Amino acid sequence: MDFKGSDTLPGPRTEDHLPHTAQAAVKIVIVGGFGVGKTTMVGSVSEIKPLTTEETMTQAGIGIDDNYGSESKTATTVAMDFGRISITDQLVLYLFGTPGQERFWFLWNGLFEGALGAVVLVDTRRLEVSFDVMGRLEERGVPFVVAVNSFPDAPRYPISELRAALDLPEEVPIVECDARRRASSRDVLMTLMRFLHSLAVMGSAR
Ligand SMILES: Nc1nc2c(ncn2[C@@H]2O[C@H](COP(=O)(O)OP(=O)(O)O)[C@@H](O)[C@H]2O)c(=O)[nH]1
Ligand SMILES: [Mg+2]
């Protein structure tokens, strides 16, 4: 039989096994409108091979999904992306990338269950595609940070203007990122973890 030797197979990512020091696992959701970079972010930052369920866009999506600015994109995630990252030796994050399109909202209830926090990815060319997502998170009381994915042809705005446009309170962190870069995506998650920590500290001080 002509099995390829293991040396010719693509190697595993840095860590396929949970570090033995891991003590806590936390669920984080990565949300945002169509084409904002959710799959890219989970893929760049995950230590395990990310699991992605993609379905080629069908006629059913045309005219329903707002595709402005992402015309070249042919596939959209209809289920979710899944990945994992150890933020410290003790703390492991499980990442769930979830679709932002309205017609997939029925998937959301389960996906938000048990989520400690969320990253809302935005594209400055289409801020409005992330409004509803933020509203849903607020309704469910899931704290979030906003990550502005820096697409090269997207206009850049000062954070204060973005905050006003997104109608976000002062305490909600807004950061720029490049979802394709592992370090940048990791920084976003660190920002979220610091934010969650500050909320917990504030909560326990009450
Ligand atoms: N230039 C640039 N392109 C990106 C970035 N993030 C994602 N993309 C591209 O934008 C497209 C949509 O990203 P994807 O992760 O599939 O979006 P999703 O629908 O939110 O999962 C893909 O072609 C990505 O390669 C980024 O930070 N910079
Ligand atoms: Mg996707």
Side-chain angles (χ1 to χ4, degrees):
M1 279 213 239
D2 189 24
F3 282 121
K4 281 186 177 155
S6 60
D7 54 352
T8 61
L9 293 172
R13 291 197 163 216
T14 40
E15 299 197 30
D16 260 1
H17 302 285
L18 262 185
H20 65 279
T21 48
Q23 288 171 2
V26 172
K27 175 178 175 177
I28 299 296
V29 291
I30 315 283
V31 288
F34 176 72
V36 293
K38 301 179 294 294
T39 301
T40 305
M41 176 170 275
V42 174
S44 74
V45 86
S46 182
E47 297 157 351
I48 53 169
K49 192 171 180 299
L51 191 69
T52 299
T53 317
E54 297 255 334
E55 179 187 89
T56 304
M57 261 183 82
T58 60
Q59 282 297 111
I62 293 169
I64 298 174
D65 291 327
D66 180 3
N67 292 340
Y68 174 74
S70 50
E71 295 85 354
S72 58
K73 196 167 179 292
T74 53
T76 180
T77 309
V78 296
M80 66 176 188
D81 306 301
F82 176 73
R84 190 193 80 201
I85 177 173
S86 315
I87 276 290
T88 64
D89 286 346
Q90 291 89 31
L91 181 62
V92 176
L93 309 187
Y94 284 99
L95 308 175
F96 294 78
T98 76
Q101 296 98 303
E102 193 172 358
R103 67 199 164 104
F104 299 125
W105 276 345
F106 66 92
L107 290 170
W108 283 34
N109 288 319
L111 283 166
F112 281 176
E113 213 127 295
L116 201 67
V119 171
V120 177
L121 272 167
V122 301
D123 174 348
T124 58
R125 296 167 297 180
R126 305 174 294 130
L127 280 182
E128 67 288 351
V129 301
S130 297
F131 284 162
D132 288 332
V133 186
M134 285 184 250
R136 297 253 155 176
L137 288 168
E138 278 164 1
E139 269 170 33
R140 286 175 166 77
V142 180
F144 61 88
V145 299
V146 172
V148 183
N149 201 2
S150 334
F151 290 92
D153 47 348
R156 304 183 92 89
Y157 302 103
I159 295 292
S160 58
E161 269 182 45
L162 286 170
R163 185 177 300 284
L166 295 169
D167 196 20
L168 286 177
E170 201 55 46
E171 65 271 15
V172 175
I174 304 179
V175 290
E176 288 193 22
C177 76
D178 182 333
R180 296 165 304 176
R181 290 182 42 234
R182 180 179 169 84
S184 180
S185 297
R186 195 172 187 283
D187 283 348
V188 172
L189 293 170
M190 293 302 284
T191 301
L192 174 63
M193 295 318 286
R194 277 193 294 268
F195 180 52
L196 294 176
H197 185 251
S198 73
L199 293 178
V201 170
M202 272 163 31
S204 62
R206 257 186 226 133

